[in-house]
Amino acid sequence: MGVWKVSGGRKLYGDIRIQGSKNAVLPIMAAAIIAGCETELLNCPQLSDVEAAMAILRHLGCKAERDGDTVSIDSRGMNRTDIPHDLMREMRSSVIFLGAILARAHKAELSYPGGCELGARPIDLHLEALRTLGADISEQGGSLNCRDTGLKGARINLAFPSVGATENVMLAACGAAGETVITNAAKEPEIIDLAEFLRKLGASISGEGTSTITISGFTPKEAVGHRVMTDRIVSATALCCTAAAGGSVTLKGVVPAYFETVTAALEAMGCEIERKTNSVKITSEGKLHAPRPIVTRPYPGFPTDAQPLLMAASLKAAGTTVFTENIFENRYRHVAELTRLGADISVVGRVAVVTGVNELFGAPVTATDLRGGAALITAALGAKGLTTVYDTGHIVRGYDDFDKTLLNLGADISFDPETLASVV
Ligand code: EPZ
């Protein structure tokens, strides 16, 4: 709950270190229960989604403590296999715990993860794959009851390279007898980070980052340490904020290749980009021009999570920017809010057409989801006057100290966690 206030028109300058990756740390926290062991995770972002995962771990009987950016998990005392509705509803991606609980305890009861702002978010690919491994899963009354009749390794072909389904199979396969081969697997960098963690945990795993991943055994270790990868979508967000506001910002401690599709689009729009081994510098002083059409696809294609952010950066770019959203069926909810700032956007089905305008003007707007909310702040940085972003908790799910980061770069931004509480 809260209100972000942004007075636009100020350019951004400076260096920033990007937080650890939300979408890497969540499956890794689930993986920490596969073997009763002690895990120390470094570079863990301070996010409400991470807090929600820690609450699930504690509910399962594990210890989960945070000390700054380090989260320590002790899963030796795990004594439950259920995740109740109130914990599942906090974070629908909690379904990622299913494979890990099955691998550890051979049974699991989860409240069915609902949809979210982006759409129905089905889990049919997860369930089909786990059943192929031997899980007996019944769905009734809004819950999933799973017994594993002895998980056995299998060949699993995913109809779509689903990130979550790939991760769930990788986790469950660690508790299966024999080899599991996943084809048409997701290739996102977060899959690579999960595989590196599982290897440290004692898994024999190969092929991560390609469309074929093989898990051929698991000899659990007693203690594991891992540094979570940097968040590539937060990196893309910082680049888009600088493009929208103007200025010159250097991202430190990043893997430029992981968000190159976004960097290349901003470069095509007229931003000056300097890439080094672990840093990217963006400079945007003049007027931008529209990039070639943006089509979201599974990695290494243009990431769906960055679509709202690049859209926000394109609102004043000369010409027409065409977006096609292929991953989620309802990922243009931020458009109506952006038009309140004076943007010219029309949406037909999966296509959004942005016609660049000369000026944007601050206005009260409402965050519709995590990346849509970040897009409103991005656009506000380049708008004249005050923009107030009403937010029921979306942005803090994925951005750690977003306001402080932008404030340190020269933005005029503040976050009041209480205001909305008095308004609604
Ligand atoms: C992960 O979600 C990310 N979340 C999402 O980030 C990201 O947008 C998405 O991958 C795509 O890259 C986390 O990692 C926690 P998918 P996930 O399974 O795993 C359909 C953010 O902003 N599908 O690859 O849920 C699904 O409906 C979030 O950080 C099925 O039909 O994504 C969607 O249309 C948003 N059946 C498409 O596949 C299934 O069983 C992609 O979903 C599973 C998915």
Side-chain angles (χ1 to χ4, degrees), residues 22-23 121-126 162-164 305 327-328 371:
K22 166 180 85 80
N23 294 348
R121 305 299 290 273
I123 58 169
D124 54 315
L125 300 175
H126 297 241
S162 154
V163 173
D305 294 347
I327 305 297
F328 289 109
R371 307 302 174 186

Side-chain angles (χ1 to χ4, degrees), residues 38-52:
E38 292 178 283
T39 297
E40 184 175 73
L41 298 177
L42 307 178
N43 199 32
C44 281
Q46 316 228 8
L47 305 171
S48 54
D49 271 10
V50 173
E51 294 305 307

Side-chain angles (χ1 to χ4, degrees), residues 12-78:
L12 307 181
Y13 293 97
D15 297 355
I16 52 174
R17 283 214 156 271
I18 299 293
Q19 70 182 60
S21 166
K22 166 180 85 80
N23 294 348
V25 73
L26 295 177
I28 287 172
M29 291 174 78
I33 67 172
I34 293 175
C37 72
E38 292 178 283
T39 297
E40 184 175 73
L41 298 177
L42 307 178
N43 199 32
C44 281
Q46 316 228 8
L47 305 171
S48 54
D49 271 10
V50 173
E51 294 305 307
M54 290 174 75
I56 289 172
L57 288 167
R58 294 186 189 114
H59 170 82
L60 295 171
C62 304
K63 291 178 185 162
E65 303 301 332
R66 176 186 283 280
D67 177 9
D69 285 349
T70 298
V71 166
S72 300
I73 298 166
D74 182 344
S75 61
R76 291 174 293 179
M78 180 172 157

Side-chain angles (χ1 to χ4, degrees), residues 199-286:
R199 196 171 288 118
K200 290 175 183 174
L201 200 59
S204 299
I205 187 166
S206 60
E208 67 274 10
T210 76
S211 55
T212 301
I213 298 173
T214 301
I215 299 99
S216 50
F218 182 60
T219 309
K221 303 283 192 330
E222 290 182 2
V224 180
H226 185 75
R227 178 177 180 79
V228 177
M229 67 176 272
T230 302
D231 195 305
R232 62 188 171 100
I233 304 301
V234 172
S235 300
T237 305
L239 293 179
C240 291
C241 285
T242 308
S248 184
V249 172
T250 302
L251 280 56
K252 300 268 192 182
V254 296
V255 179
Y258 283 169
F259 48 95
E260 175 57 25
T261 49
V262 181
T263 311
L266 291 168
E267 196 168 35
M269 291 170 72
C271 296
E272 191 185 311
I273 302 286
E274 188 182 338
R275 299 168 181 81
K276 290 186 178 169
T277 309
N278 291 121
S279 70
V280 173
K281 180 178 181 181
I282 181 169
T283 302
S284 161
E285 293 304 340

